[in-house]
Amino acid sequence: MLDISKGKVTLVLVPWDLRAGYYKLAQTAKFTLHIDVEKGRDWVIFISKRRNFAKIIHSDAKGNVLISRRLKEGCYQQLLAKATGTATRTLSKDEVISYLNGEELEVKRTNLLRG
């Protein structure tokens, strides 16, 4: 059984060409983001340019995992990255589930006490 609560989950904020398979995405994670998925400690989520399709990669002792998820309606929220550093973001298990279900993680605040 796959359990994303074990390990670090990283969301790549830059839209990605998702024609690539597991090995190309793992290579990108390793050489661009310095995340070695093959060690089995990381889950990496790539989002398509249209933000309606995602690919999640992971590896464990039994093999490699590539999960594809296309939203039937709407798109994944576009999240902001810090001005310096890599265009990635670490998420909790609950945030990952919400995000992959198309829910918003961030809102623009218009009031100090309420959204």
Side-chain angles (χ1 to χ4, degrees):
M1 182 176 168
L2 301 173
D3 185 2
I4 64 171
S5 67
K6 295 180 180 175
K8 180 179 173 186
V9 179
T10 302
L11 172 64
V12 179
L13 298 176
V14 175
W16 208 259
D17 178 1
L18 292 184
R19 292 177 289 181
Y22 172 86
Y23 291 104
K24 181 70 173 174
L25 294 173
Q27 184 179 36
T28 299
K30 184 174 185 175
F31 294 111
T32 306
L33 306 172
H34 308 290
I35 299 171
D36 190 353
V37 178
E38 292 291 324
K39 290 184 178 179
R41 295 187 305 249
D42 292 277
W43 295 79
V44 182
I45 303 170
F46 294 90
I47 304 297
S48 69
K49 291 177 184 178
R50 290 186 179 176
R51 294 191 343 263
N52 65 341
F53 188 67
K55 282 191 177 178
I56 304 139
I57 60 171
H58 176 68
S59 184
D60 61 20
K62 297 192 183 225
N64 301 326
V65 177
L66 172 77
I67 301 169
S68 299
R69 178 144 174 101
R70 181 179 305 278
L71 290 178
K72 291 181 180 178
E73 294 181 11
C75 60
Y76 296 109
Q77 182 179 15
Q78 185 174 9
L79 301 174
L80 299 176
K82 292 182 180 179
T84 59
T86 60
T88 63
R89 183 162 173 183
T90 302
L91 302 173
S92 71
K93 177 184 175 183
D94 292 336
E95 287 174 324
V96 170
I97 301 300
S98 294
Y99 187 79
L100 291 175
N101 283 330
E103 298 172 17
E104 290 186 347
L105 296 183
E106 298 177 342
V107 295
K108 182 177 179 181
R109 296 277 180 190
T110 57
N111 184 302
L112 182 62
L113 302 176
R114 291 187 218 116

